[in-house]
């Protein structure tokens, strides 16, 4: 823990999920300035599903991609601006445009067992001279050993940082340690290890600290935990714990507290908190961005959204399969009718 922890703020990307991707240009500018002045090292700014995500499938963002990225770039004095790309949702041309808009960090995300689809995108980001990150989503859905093999692929493609990503907030501290420890032991000494946590089981900060103690050097967080499901690791909470533990970082605790309390929380349309639906996400291991889709479908079809999420988990859904939710809700409604 002697090395200073790099904080990657995801308020303007993962936080997009919690506000239905409706941040305005003015809100993006204000949040970027606050996050930057609070000491975060990297600020990620795209649609919640990354470059190319604004669509009927995932929800249209209020502002276009160029506006989101350029506004973040223009309002950050110190932090690097990052973009997320999920191959198949975003394409290489999207990455090139984002780089042209001023993005310096590229995070290429795949399902935890599908790193092979990222080769061209990681290679292009590295060729562009971007800080290139491999982002292994839903990391609870495979063994630590298999996750390491996928990480090695991303490393070979040119990723300088590899993340264990707890997209469902389903990992325990032991689960987190097991994955980070293998990365630390078997990846190159020059490869940085990152961790992205969600708070669906109330373990966002705990897992982030476990990751740091085991060798992670880059940690994701967001103001007031703003993000999908029960939200991400909250920046202000993480800063307080790191201060208590003597972990070195660049965050200003009071500034993160004030930004979370005075600006972020009033922007929330739905409180980012652990409730019965977000807890179900973590318990069943369902992708955190499914929460609002399941909540809406449950109301529309008169079924319990927890049953939708449980069925989705049984089907093995991964990120990008939100369209399954309507079909599941219809099936549950029909079953309810038959048994009534």
């Amino acid at each position: 823990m002697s090395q200073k922890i790099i904080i990657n703020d995801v308020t303007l990307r993962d936080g997009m999920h919690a506000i239905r991707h409706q941040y305005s240009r003015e809100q993006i500018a204000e949040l970027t300035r606050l996050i930057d002045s609070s000491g975060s090292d990297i600020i990620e700014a795209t649609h919640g599903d990354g470059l190319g995500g604004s669509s009927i499938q995932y929800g249209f963002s209020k502002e276009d991609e160029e506006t989101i990225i350029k506004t973040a770039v223009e309002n950050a004095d110190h932090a690097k601006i990052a973009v997320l790309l999920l191959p198949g949702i975003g394409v290489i041309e999207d990455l090139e445009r984002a780089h042209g808009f001023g993005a310096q960090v590229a995070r290429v995300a795949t399902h935890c067992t599908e790193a092979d689809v990222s080769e061209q995108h990681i290679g292009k980001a590295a060729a562009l001279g971007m800080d290139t990150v491999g982002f292994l989503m839903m990391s609870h859905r495979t063994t630590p050993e298999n996750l390491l093999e996928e990480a090695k692929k991303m490393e070979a493609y040119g990723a300088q940082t590899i993340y264990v990503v707890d997209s469902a907030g389903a990992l325990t501290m032991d689960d987190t340690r097991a994955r980070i420890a293998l990365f630390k032991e078997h990846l190159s000494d020059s490869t940085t290890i990152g961790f992205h946590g969600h708070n669906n089981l109330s373990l966002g900060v705990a897992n982030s600290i476990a990751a740091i103690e085991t060798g992670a050097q880059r940690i994701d967080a967001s103001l007031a935990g703003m993000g999908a499901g029960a939200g991400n690791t909250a920046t202000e909470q993480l800063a307080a714990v790191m201060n208590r533990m003597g972990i070195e970082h660049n965050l200003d605790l009071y500034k993160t507290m004030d930004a979370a309390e005075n600006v972020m929380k009033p922007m929330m349309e739905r409180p980012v908190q652990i409730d019965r639906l977000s807890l179900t996400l973590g318990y069943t291991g369902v992708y955190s961005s499914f929460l609002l889709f399941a909540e809406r479908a449950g109301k529309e079809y008169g079924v319990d959204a927890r049953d939708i999420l449980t069925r989705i988990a049984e089907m093995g859904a991964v990120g990008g399969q939100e369209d399954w939710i309507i079909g599941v809700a219809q099936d549950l409604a029909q079953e309810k009718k038959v048994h009534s």
Side-chain angles (χ1 to χ4, degrees):
M1 291 192 293
S2 59
Q3 189 168 346
K4 183 179 288 188
I5 300 302
I6 297 168
I7 300 298
N8 188 114
D9 186 282
V10 295
T11 306
L12 293 173
R13 197 280 301 169
D14 216 325
M16 279 279 193
H17 288 298
I19 201 169
R20 298 178 295 107
H21 317 289
Q22 296 303 294
Y23 282 131
S24 68
R25 184 186 64 79
E26 292 75 19
Q27 288 174 320
I28 294 167
E30 181 180 17
L31 287 169
T32 300
R33 289 193 294 269
L34 288 170
I35 295 164
D36 184 65
S37 67
S38 297
S40 287
D41 304 283
I42 301 167
I43 301 172
E44 189 173 54
T46 61
H47 183 280
D49 291 284
L51 299 174
S54 182
S55 63
I56 193 169
Q57 173 81 358
Y58 305 111
F60 292 104
S61 55
K62 183 179 183 68
E63 305 289 358
D64 61 33
E65 216 155 70
E66 180 175 359
T67 299
I68 294 169
I69 298 168
K70 283 187 173 180
T71 300
V73 169
E74 290 165 1
N75 286 277
D77 291 330
H78 308 289
K80 295 179 180 179
I81 300 303
V83 293
L84 184 78
L85 184 147
L86 283 70
I89 296 177
V91 296
I92 284 175
E93 288 75 15
D94 294 320
L95 184 61
E96 291 173 328
R97 281 192 293 272
H99 179 256
F101 298 151
Q104 297 169 279
V105 182
R107 309 216 302 174
V108 181
T110 74
H111 184 61
C112 60
T113 58
E114 298 176 359
D116 55 332
V117 304
S118 68
E119 181 174 5
Q120 293 181 358
H121 309 79
I122 288 176
K124 171 56 72 171
L128 289 169
M130 302 180 79
D131 179 343
T132 306
V133 179
F135 205 68
L136 289 164
M137 301 185 297
M138 299 287 279
S139 288
H140 73 286
R141 289 277 293 272
T142 192
T143 66
E145 292 76 16
N146 286 342
L147 192 68
L148 173 63
E149 293 309 307
E150 299 299 307
K152 287 179 178 178
K153 293 178 186 178
M154 287 181 158
E155 185 180 61
Y157 301 154
Q160 299 139 348
T161 299
I162 312 289
Y163 263 75
V164 172
V165 182
D166 189 16
S167 314
L171 293 176
T172 66
M173 286 82 78
D174 284 346
D175 295 331
T176 299
R177 291 188 189 100
R179 287 158 175 77
I180 299 293
L182 279 181
F183 281 21
K184 184 69 175 176
E185 182 178 358
H186 295 287
L187 295 181
S188 170
D189 290 341
S190 63
T191 297
T192 300
I193 300 167
F195 180 76
H196 173 101
H198 278 264
N199 206 39
N200 299 332
L201 290 178
S202 192
L203 297 176
V205 171
N207 276 327
S208 297
I209 295 298
I212 291 169
E213 291 179 324
T214 315
Q217 300 155 296
R218 192 175 289 197
I219 301 294
D220 285 9
S222 63
L223 293 177
M226 187 65 167
N232 295 94
T233 301
T235 312
E236 65 280 7
Q237 295 170 14
L238 179 64
V241 174
M242 289 194 297
N243 284 358
R244 288 293 301 271
M245 296 181 67
I247 298 171
E248 192 175 1
H249 59 86
N250 289 324
L251 295 172
D252 182 300
L253 177 58
Y254 279 16
K255 285 185 178 181
T256 61
M257 287 177 170
D258 291 345
E261 196 72 24
N262 299 333
V263 180
M264 189 71 266
K265 288 183 180 179
M267 284 187 194
M268 293 179 177
E269 294 185 354
R270 180 187 192 280
V272 173
Q273 62 187 10
I274 300 170
D275 55 21
R276 58 190 174 186
L277 287 188
S278 57
L279 182 58
T280 302
L281 291 170
Y283 183 69
T284 60
V286 172
Y287 199 72
S288 291
S289 67
F290 283 31
L291 185 145
L292 295 182
F293 292 90
E295 186 175 52
R296 287 195 295 266
K299 290 177 181 177
E300 181 176 353
Y301 293 96
V303 298
D304 193 324
R306 288 172 294 182
D307 290 335
I308 296 174
L309 293 171
T310 300
R311 183 71 60 85
I312 284 287
E314 292 169 352
M315 295 167 64
V318 299
Q321 293 176 326
E322 286 87 344
D323 55 328
W324 288 14
I325 290 172
I326 295 299
V328 167
Q330 291 172 337
D331 290 345
L332 289 170
Q334 183 61 33
E335 292 168 15
K336 182 178 178 181
K337 185 177 179 180
V338 168
H339 292 102
S340 64

